[in-house]
Amino acid sequence: MLRLAADWARENGRRLLALTVDHGLSPDSAGWTAFAEQAARDAGADWRGLTWTGSKPTKGLPAAARRARHGLIADAAREVGARVILFAHTADDIAEGEVMREEGSTLGRLREWAPSPAWPEGRGVMLLRPMLDAGRVEVRDWLAGQGAEWIDDPANEDPTYARSRARTSLLPLGEGGAQRRMRVDRGSGEAAPDQPTLTLERKDDGSAAVRSSPLPMGEGSFEIDRGVTARALAAALVCAGGGDRPPRGDRLAALLTRLNAGESFTATLCGARIEAAADRVTIRREPGELARRPPPPLPLTPGVEAVWDGRWAITTSEAGWSVVPAAGRMAALSDADRAVLKALPASARAGEPVLIRNENGAPVLARTTARARSLVEQRLALALDRMTHERDLGAVFDGETLRKPLFST
């Protein structure tokens, strides 16, 4: 992928930055990092080494390493102004993931174009996986034909890890068996291309059933149709709740069943509140959680954007401010700020960010005192494939007037 991307970057006058993450888990990692740096330099790309520091968990190490890796890469991408990160996953990675899910793993599915799973580090950053139609054997054969070298991580053969066991289970299919399995699973009899290709196909999965409301609901609030897909509902819940963990399948399925049955109810999932009435179903942040378990004040540094509650990006020009929830502080707001809150539904008010000078200072609404923008609409638009090209991303970041039309049906 590095070689293909470097060719594309040269032809299009673009800068390519290669990132290498040293997880500190192998005695050979320093040598691997040096190899990766040289490969990037030889391809004409810029290069940066990243390191996962700190203690490592004794359980769930692959998942923890994956979260750390995505966070480090997203931070590095945002620092240099990159909006798209390329990953070289192949058809074999997809097949191994399917085996893992069959055995009970909650591992997410790989998609060609998807938001960074790191939140809030990955805000506004997309992942592109252009090689999902290529098999691992194909890639190695192509590299060998180029006279290139590569490294095989011995941890990939360690049966301690679920992915290694999944890879081993596919070996009876023979070399390239994972890719053949994917062709069967996809119902395709077409031969794979001789070379990996940089292509992207958009698929409509019914996510238009999530939209912004024409009524004043407050930022980060959505209306949904009762026939919403599981994927779209999960995305709306995670984004409205501000977290980074999707809902468990059983809880999501139960919620969909109630929606499809036409029930009227109020429920909480992923830190989001879903209110299903006869004429409208809405999703927004669950304010009760902010009152029961209030987050500690988030100090602001003048001129530096801070993300609060996974939902708001806040920047102030003055020193001394911290961000806290409006829950428990609304009565102390000024008359003007209370008037702003009064225009919102009662269940949306407590989740608004307010600024205080210290623990006991008089609160002021963040939106009236600092630059406060909701991240929820942007995040959901990316999660639901409303922006399928790098050029679309600028519409979200550069012009907030374009935010609402992204969610109209």
Side-chain angles (χ1 to χ4, degrees), residues 238-295:
V238 170
C239 293
D244 63 351
R245 303 293 178 87
R248 292 206 316 264
D250 55 344
R251 298 191 66 185
L252 184 65
L255 197 57
L256 282 169
T257 297
R258 299 185 71 182
L259 287 172
N260 292 335
E263 290 186 32
S264 294
F265 63 92
T266 298
T268 301
L269 188 57
C270 291
R273 176 189 185 94
I274 180 167
E275 298 176 351
D279 61 340
R280 184 179 297 115
V281 180
T282 61
I283 295 177
R284 62 171 60 92
R285 180 71 162 107
E286 169 52 55
E289 289 194 0
L290 294 171
R292 289 189 296 271
R293 293 182 292 274

Side-chain angles (χ1 to χ4, degrees), residues 92-109 162-163 165-167 169-170 173 178 181-182 184-186:
D92 294 73
D93 293 297
I94 296 178
E96 291 157 9
E98 291 296 333
V99 172
M100 294 167 68
R101 278 185 290 276
E102 289 170 2
E103 295 177 350
S105 171
T106 58
L107 186 72
R109 285 181 167 80
R163 182 168 291 279
R165 296 194 298 271
R167 184 170 301 183
S169 74
L170 293 169
L173 294 175
R181 169 178 171 145
M182 290 311 301
V184 172
D185 290 347
R186 291 173 175 175

Side-chain angles (χ1 to χ4, degrees), residues 3-16 44:
R3 288 170 171 248
L4 292 170
D7 289 343
W8 176 88
R10 278 191 295 270
E11 292 171 1
N12 291 273
R14 298 290 295 273
R15 177 190 174 194
L16 180 66

